Amino acid sequence: MSFSFFRKAPKFWERRGPTSLLLWPLSWLYGIVLRVRKLIQDTGLVRPKPVPVPVIIVGNIRVGGTGKTPIVIALAERLQQLGWNPGIISRGYGGSSSSTQTTPLQVISNSDPALVGDEPVLIARRTHDQFPIWVFPKRYQSIRALLKHSPNVDVIISDDGLQHTGLARWPAREGGRDIELIVRDGRGEGNRFLLPAGPLREPATRERDATLFTGNTKNGNPQIGLQDEYFLGRRAFSLSSNLGQAYQLNNPANTQTLAQISDNYLPNKITAIAGLGNPQRFFDDLLKNGIAGKTIPLPDHANYTAEFFEKINAQCILITEKDAVKCSGITDERIWVVPMSLTLPDSLAEWLQSILQRPDPYRYTL
C-alpha cells in the first residue's frame, strides 16, 4: 500500500466514528495481507541477506512522521561520541529518485532535496557531512553501496524501514545486535485501526526492541514518567526536544531568540508553517516558547515556491529546518528557520552500547 496518499493525516484516524467504521472492512483485508506476509517470513522461504554490521532501525507504526529524523541525527552524533562510525540510509521520501533511480545515491549537504528527499539533506546539513548518507528504496543495496564507499562504518542507522522486509535483521530481543526502535508521539496509535480506517501500518502491539516517546500527550504531560521505563514489555525512553535560536533563511548568520520574536512582532503578524507528519507539534512547541500566531499545517514533504510565501500577510514567517532545505531559492526576508534538537538520555546510550557490542550472531550460524 502506498503511503504517499496519507501525507496529511485525516481527522477520523484519531477517533473511531462513522468514517473509520465504514472503512474498517478494508482495514481487515489489509490485516489479512499483513498476516500472510508474516507467515511467509516465518517459513524462511524468503530470507533476505544479512549485512556485516549492526543495523538500528528508527521507525514507526503510524503513517507519516513522528519525529524520526531528529532522532536519527541525535543517535548518529551520540554513537560517534561513543566511538562508533555510523552510516545512515533512507528511502528518500519526497524525492524523485525513490521512483526513478535504479541505483543508490549518496547524499551531501548540497544535494537536491527534490531528487533525494528533504530528510536526508536535512541530516547531511545538520551533521555537516560527518556521516555517509545513502538513499534508495531497496535498503540492502543502500547498505552495500555505503559500506563499499565507507568501509570504516561499523553501524548503520536506517531512517524508517521498519516494514521493509528486504532489510535483514536479527533483533536484539532475540539475541541479535540489530535494534528496532519504534517512535511514538503524542498522538499515540490514534483510533488503533489499520489503514485505511486508521493510521497504523501494523498492529499497535507489534514487537519491538524499544519505544521512543517524543512530545507530550494531549493533556500536555510526558508520555511516560521517569519511573516508567517499559512499554508493552520492552524498554522505553522519553526524549525531550528543544527549539533553538531562529535564523533568517537568506542570511543564516542573522539570528534572534524566540523570546525576541515574541517581543518584536504582534501575534497577528506572525505565521508559522510546517510540512510535517505532525505539524501541530511544531506549533505547540512555539506556543510553549511564547509565540502565538497564525498556523498553516501542510502535508509531509510539502514543496514551496516564492509565490506561496508572497501571499502570506505576515511580518514574520517561521518554518522548520526540514521545510527550509526546500526553500534555498527563496529570498523572502520575513522567513525565519527554527531549528529543533533532541536530547537522548544516558540510559538509552548505555542500552544501545550494550547491544551493539554483542558478537555477530551470523558468525556462528552461516
Side-chain angles (χ1 to χ4, degrees):
M1 181 176 293
S2 173
F3 297 122
S4 58
F5 179 76
F6 300 108
R7 285 179 179 174
K8 190 170 185 178
K11 290 183 178 179
F12 68 81
W13 277 359
E14 306 307 324
R15 184 175 298 178
R16 297 185 181 184
T19 304
S20 59
L21 293 174
L22 189 66
L23 291 171
W24 183 83
L26 295 177
S27 298
W28 181 80
L29 290 174
Y30 178 55
I32 294 293
V33 172
L34 292 179
R35 283 195 285 273
V36 170
R37 190 175 71 177
K38 179 71 165 51
L39 186 63
I40 294 173
Q41 287 178 319
D42 291 345
T43 61
L45 294 176
V46 180
R47 184 171 295 177
K49 295 180 181 178
V51 296
V53 298
V55 178
I56 300 174
I57 300 175
V58 183
N60 55 9
I61 58 176
R62 274 191 74 113
V63 173
T66 51
K68 297 186 297 296
T69 300
I71 294 175
V72 169
I73 294 170
L75 276 175
E77 292 175 337
R78 192 61 176 269
L79 288 172
Q80 186 183 55
Q81 292 170 4
L82 294 172
W84 294 87
N85 296 309
I88 298 169
I89 62 167
S90 167
R91 190 180 192 282
Y93 287 105
S96 60
S97 68
S98 62
S99 58
T100 60
Q101 192 70 21
T102 57
T103 56
L105 282 175
Q106 186 176 16
V107 179
I108 56 176
S109 291
N110 60 2
S111 293
D112 183 359
L115 177 66
V116 300
D118 47 15
E119 290 160 348
V121 174
L122 170 59
I123 295 171
R125 292 185 184 179
R126 279 289 298 269
T127 59
H128 307 290
D129 292 319
Q130 290 185 79
F131 309 108
I133 304 171
W134 288 73
V135 298
F136 195 55
K138 296 180 179 179
R139 293 169 191 263
Y140 174 74
Q141 292 186 31
S142 265
I143 293 175
R144 285 191 59 183
L146 187 154
L147 293 177
K148 183 178 180 181
H149 186 268
S150 305
N152 63 321
V153 165
D154 51 16
V155 57
I156 297 289
I157 302 173
S158 177
D159 188 353
D160 212 347
L162 204 62
Q163 290 79 25
H164 186 63
T165 56
L167 179 57
R169 70 209 67 173
W170 192 317
R173 60 185 179 276
E174 297 175 6
R177 57 177 186 168
D178 300 318
I179 302 171
E180 291 185 330
L181 301 173
I182 290 182
V183 182
R184 188 177 189 272
D185 67 12
R187 299 169 299 174
E189 288 79 29
N191 63 16
R192 298 180 72 84
F193 281 151
L194 293 171
L195 291 168
L200 302 186
R201 299 170 170 179
E202 296 183 274
T205 54
R206 184 206 196 278
E207 275 289 320
R208 77 282 309 269
D209 294 306
T211 303
L212 305 182
F213 289 93
T214 62
N216 294 332
T217 64
K218 293 178 181 178
N219 298 324
N221 300 315
Q223 298 197 43
I224 62 173
L226 294 175
Q227 305 304 318
D228 302 321
E229 298 179 339
Y230 289 86
F231 181 74
L232 295 178
R234 300 291 176 186
R235 290 300 304 269
F237 303 91
S238 282
L239 312 183
S240 57
S241 60
N242 301 290
L243 297 183
Q245 283 196 123
Y247 60 87
Q248 201 169 22
L249 176 67
N250 62 359
N251 180 18
N254 187 18
T255 64
Q256 58 180 334
T257 66
L258 297 181
Q260 288 174 319
I261 291 176
S262 178
D263 291 340
N264 292 339
Y265 303 97
L266 293 172
N268 62 357
K269 296 299 180 184
I270 299 175
T271 295
I273 302 169
L276 305 173
N278 184 10
Q280 189 59 44
R281 183 179 167 196
F282 177 62
F283 305 143
D284 290 343
D285 285 345
L286 288 175
L287 199 56
K288 289 178 194 169
N289 284 273
I291 296 182
K294 182 181 177 183
T295 59
I296 302 179
L298 296 174
D300 202 8
H301 308 292
N303 291 311
Y304 299 93
T305 63
E307 292 74 20
F308 168 79
F309 289 106
E310 287 171 2
K311 295 177 182 176
I312 297 175
N313 180 21
Q315 295 175 348
C316 175
I317 300 173
L318 302 175
I319 65 174
T320 70
E321 283 192 301
K322 178 174 167 177
D323 297 310
V325 302
K326 293 167 289 187
C327 299
S328 57
I330 297 173
T331 57
D332 193 324
E333 294 182 350
R334 301 173 300 159
I335 303 175
W336 292 79
V337 184
V338 184
M340 193 272 280
S341 59
L342 279 172
T343 302
L344 302 185
D346 291 340
S347 57
L348 172 57
E350 292 165 2
W351 178 77
L352 291 171
Q353 181 83 312
S354 69
I355 294 170
L356 295 176
Q357 289 177 333
R358 292 177 182 175
D360 182 1
Y362 294 107
R363 182 184 304 174
Y364 306 105
T365 56
L366 295 179

